[in-house]
Amino acid sequence: MKDKDIIKLKEQVYDANMALVRHKLVIFTFGNVSAIDRQKDVIAIKPSGVDYEKLKPQDMVLIDMDGNKLEEGLNPSSDTKTHIELYRAFENIRGVAHTHSRYATVFAQAILPIKCLGTTHADYFYGDIPCTEPITDSSIEGDYEKETGVLIIKTFKSLGLDYSHIKACLVGCHGSFTWGDSADDAVFASAILEEIAMQNLYTQLINPSVKSIKNTILDKHYKRKHGKDAYYGQKRSIYRAK
Amino acid sequence: MKDKDIIKLKEQVYDANMALVRHKLVIFTFGNVSAIDRQKDVIAIKPSGVDYEKLKPQDMVLIDMDGNKLEEGLNPSSDTKTHIELYRAFENIRGVAHTHSRYATVFAQAILPIKCLGTTHADYFYGDIPCTEPITDSSIEGDYEKETGVLIIKTFKSLGLDYSHIKACLVGCHGSFTWGDSADDAVFASAILEEIAMQNLYTQLINPSVKSIKNTILDKHYKRKHGKDAYYGQKRSIYRAK
Amino acid sequence: MKDKDIIKLKEQVYDANMALVRHKLVIFTFGNVSAIDRQKDVIAIKPSGVDYEKLKPQDMVLIDMDGNKLEEGLNPSSDTKTHIELYRAFENIRGVAHTHSRYATVFAQAILPIKCLGTTHADYFYGDIPCTEPITDSSIEGDYEKETGVLIIKTFKSLGLDYSHIKACLVGCHGSFTWGDSADDAVFASAILEEIAMQNLYTQLINPSVKSIKNTILDKHYKRKHGKDAYYGQKRSIYRAK
Amino acid sequence: MKDKDIIKLKEQVYDANMALVRHKLVIFTFGNVSAIDRQKDVIAIKPSGVDYEKLKPQDMVLIDMDGNKLEEGLNPSSDTKTHIELYRAFENIRGVAHTHSRYATVFAQAILPIKCLGTTHADYFYGDIPCTEPITDSSIEGDYEKETGVLIIKTFKSLGLDYSHIKACLVGCHGSFTWGDSADDAVFASAILEEIAMQNLYTQLINPSVKSIKNTILDKHYKRKHGKDAYYGQKRSIYRAK
């Protein structure tokens, strides 16, 4: 597709995938990032199993909302259907990232949420990061990657969470998915998630009885940075991944 | 302000902020450093939410002791009032640094002091690094950032600590503030704090019954490096941040 | 030997040994990689105790299946006989790597298997990574390095494991051996092993009661990437070490 | 001193001090390395409190066995008398290194020996690395740095250890001292010490009941690399610090 917006979308998705490497969130071919053009319902996503150092912007794979490839070329990420499911359910997001980053994956493997233990967490996520139950056997036998998305969405619903304020979910025994306003935002959320997972882990090791922070601190810090009363920064998006 | 001293102050504050990145004490826009000109009562501080890689010396924001901006331009750090409060109470300091560095934040989140477990600690801090209680709801509802400073000062007073020999405080559920003779010194204290927090954490994990070192070792090491009988170094400041 | 295939084999073995350094799996002279030409029964292996930074492709030592040197020059790795034993027993492998990488060695020292706790593991190894018992005194007194290979092979047999799907073994009190279709593949397996060992360790520290994942997830992820029904990637080897 | 051997000694000591930084064993001005010319009884040692990045070979301070400076110039390391004491008691060593490297210091702070848990350790140190008791108050009040050396020597004697096969000692509540045939060797021992301390710590966290390896494995590995029956390497010193 020669459409200027789509070429730009591919470049943004390429940049965001490379940012995973720069932030040390992936090794080898672990992880993938996508973005969606909401006007055209076109998704650009990393190709499956291609080394980051060989990746080029034009290698990003274009698909529609049913997962059909829109151009000749490489196969999309094997996790593509999870991304699509998130784009369907979380209507305002425009980027998704999936990693097996070290500390976030530790919590996913332990099947434990990342409790909000401090303002580093509260600055970016409005509460605990949930972890899904391990996926059921019938979901594995069915459309596994789609069902992974369904599981995330179900988990958010059952816990009454708002995807626009908690932009991350751990998948039990697996890894993390994060999202945001763009591919870049989704990677930024992954980087913050990894940092707070690390801090949370060691906090629990040194003080096993630690509890989530009180709502007043959570409110103060999250709302300093988000929403109409935010007073942090210079009145522009604070989400960026470098 | 075209004053030569102020231009130099901005450069020092810029350099110290960039040193946070070099010492891996911050990611993204976490953290901020300021310095004060005690003759003029002018503070230079990092602007709020600006990426370190885009930061320039002239971006440092000048404010007076009431937090009023002295020039057109970017907004100061959202933590500015905490800095001001520390400059008011700790009359001899001329630099303040705030970070969410990994291991120091772990202790802040665990609401535990960093006990002095060895000479690495005793060489730089004359005793345990205190951790404040989590801030009260009334302080959050009030002037939150100012109250964070008040809380640090209150903690030092109630524990009978001398800010000129313990140049760091953990804020419960939050992160660390450090200070010194300059912006550079404050960053140096943050870097040492992070190192000893890491060593302290693993020491406690491998030997949970470990106790603070005896006063005789603490005295010996701290006074080897500080005060009139110091015999370490080449008769110049040992505080520097590279 | 001026044979073109053998010169290429040496280059591959050299590259794979240098990849150990790049992946931070070795320091100093720890670790060694070899590859075999199955047509000629010639093995190329790292020389013993030579710094990686001084290593050249032509320094790789050529030996036959009895460990005899086929050229004048440096001595082969002291672990050569372990490599030979693995090539004898595991007939389809063409590369072997040995490291004391940090987290894998921790499990070897703890004499614990690396249980499969998540999909990061399941994507690459079809089940738990075994750890041998410490080697017996009679094996130490005998042909120690050969007996180390014998111990690995015996461990795989007694546990009913398939070396083509679990390409790694920990040796109790020692370190890890990994293998694959080439020297490069063997190093790739070492790198993945180290990553999953790290994730496994912290998972167990944060959740001591964690169990291996169920077979349905293991099957799904391993078979997404391996065997006739694999649908990950672009229809080429996913094993590579960069 | 214009003596060629002494100029070379200074260069070696300079290189070894810089190697501490390269191996990430020190930050700021932590740590120091010395070497001795046994013919001339002249010691070259790092100056006290000078940044590594500003250090030059000619800055190394020359002293005699009583600690007297042999040239005008910078002050020697504040730990100089500990080095001298080790040179006096351990007659065959020609280099000493002192660091507060992270994991070794953790054991020193925990006042625990580094037990020999695997072959990585056994390849370089012939048994557990001892940790001294915290220094006594009378030793602190006396000639503190000299007494630190005395404490190490006393610990080796009381445990019946041979300094030529265990080239490291932890000082309780403090850090590590290592030694060897040269400044370079002493740094190499520090680097290996740090690596095995890290592996030991995590081994104990994941398996608290782990025991030191049996003597047969210790013997095999240590003697593969040291002494008249060694068969590792290419018949040259295996000790080097890069």
Side-chain angles (χ1 to χ4, degrees), chain C residues 1 5 46-47 100 119 134-136 157 184 202 205 224:
Chain C
M1 290 174 78
D5 292 341
K46 182 176 176 290
H100 292 238
T119 62
I135 195 163
T136 63
K157 271 197 192 136
D184 197 49
Y202 289 104
L205 290 181
R224 264 202 337 176

Side-chain angles (χ1 to χ4, degrees), chain B residues 113-161:
Chain B
I114 301 175
K115 292 192 289 181
C116 181
L117 300 182
T119 61
T120 323
H121 184 132
D123 278 340
Y124 298 99
F125 298 103
Y126 193 48
D128 302 353
I129 310 297
C131 182
T132 74
E133 288 297 303
I135 194 163
T136 63
D137 289 356
S138 64
S139 291
I140 294 170
E141 282 156 33
D143 200 345
Y144 173 68
E145 288 81 8
K146 179 189 159 125
E147 294 298 331
T148 299
V150 169
L151 180 60
I152 292 169
I153 296 152
K154 205 182 102 188
T155 300
F156 263 65
K157 271 197 192 136
S158 72
L159 294 169
L161 301 178

Side-chain angles (χ1 to χ4, degrees), chain D residues 87-242:
Chain D
Y87 286 124
R88 283 192 193 282
F90 298 165
E91 296 181 359
N92 293 321
I93 68 172
R94 282 176 294 174
V96 171
H98 169 51
T99 84
H100 292 238
S101 69
R102 296 185 149 189
Y103 290 101
T105 304
V106 162
F107 279 87
Q109 292 193 159
I111 316 177
L112 289 171
I114 302 174
K115 292 192 290 181
C116 181
L117 300 182
T119 61
T120 323
H121 184 131
D123 278 341
Y124 299 100
F125 298 103
Y126 193 49
D128 300 354
I129 310 297
C131 181
T132 74
E133 288 297 302
I135 194 163
T136 63
D137 289 357
S138 64
S139 291
I140 294 170
E141 283 156 32
D143 200 345
Y144 173 68
E145 288 80 9
K146 178 187 159 131
E147 293 298 331
T148 299
V150 169
L151 180 60
I152 292 169
I153 295 153
K154 203 182 103 187
T155 300
F156 264 64
K157 270 197 193 137
S158 72
L159 294 168
L161 301 178
D162 181 342
Y163 72 84
S164 61
H165 296 301
I166 296 181
K167 298 182 175 183
C169 189
L170 304 176
V171 177
C173 306
H174 190 146
S176 75
F177 283 85
T178 60
W179 47 84
D181 296 338
S182 65
D184 197 48
D185 276 14
V187 171
F188 182 72
S190 285
I192 299 291
L193 182 72
E194 180 64 5
E195 187 73 16
I196 62 171
M198 181 276 175
Q199 293 185 358
N200 185 305
L201 180 108
Y202 289 105
T203 303
Q204 292 198 53
L205 290 181
I206 197 77
N207 185 355
S209 65
V210 72
K211 288 189 175 54
S212 295
I213 59 172
K214 53 187 177 181
N215 282 331
T216 45
I217 297 182
L218 175 60
D219 271 353
K220 180 68 192 178
H221 269 265
Y222 190 73
K223 292 176 181 169
R224 260 197 347 171
K225 291 205 168 186
H226 302 86
K228 66 177 175 51
D229 297 325
Y231 56 92
Y232 177 92
Q234 310 292 339
K235 293 170 202 335
R236 49 186 193 76
S237 169
I238 57 133
Y239 275 91
R240 97 221 52 95
K242 298 279 155 35

Side-chain angles (χ1 to χ4, degrees), chain A residues 27-30 47-51 53-54 74-75 78-79 100-103 105-107 109-110 112 135-137 140 144-145 173-174 201-202 204-205, chain C residues 23 117-120 123-124 188 191-192 195 198-200 202-203 205-207 210 213-214 216-217 220-221 224-225 231-236 240-242:
Chain A
I27 59 167
F28 298 108
T29 59
F30 296 16
S48 183
V50 175
D51 280 346
E53 62 219 63
K54 291 177 186 160
L74 297 167
N75 297 331
S78 55
D79 298 307
H100 293 238
S101 70
R102 294 186 150 189
Y103 290 101
T105 303
V106 162
F107 280 86
Q109 292 192 158
L112 290 171
I135 195 164
T136 62
D137 289 357
I140 294 170
Y144 173 68
E145 288 81 8
C173 308
H174 190 144
L201 181 109
Y202 289 104
Q204 292 199 51
L205 291 182
Chain C
H23 289 304
L117 300 183
T119 62
T120 323
D123 278 340
Y124 298 99
F188 181 71
I192 300 290
E195 187 73 15
M198 181 275 174
Q199 293 186 357
N200 185 304
Y202 289 104
T203 304
L205 290 181
I206 197 76
N207 185 354
V210 71
I213 60 171
K214 53 189 179 180
T216 45
I217 297 182
K220 180 67 192 178
H221 269 265
R224 264 202 337 176
K225 291 206 168 187
Y231 57 93
Y232 177 92
Q234 309 292 339
K235 292 170 202 339
R236 50 183 192 77
R240 90 219 63 91
K242 296 282 155 33

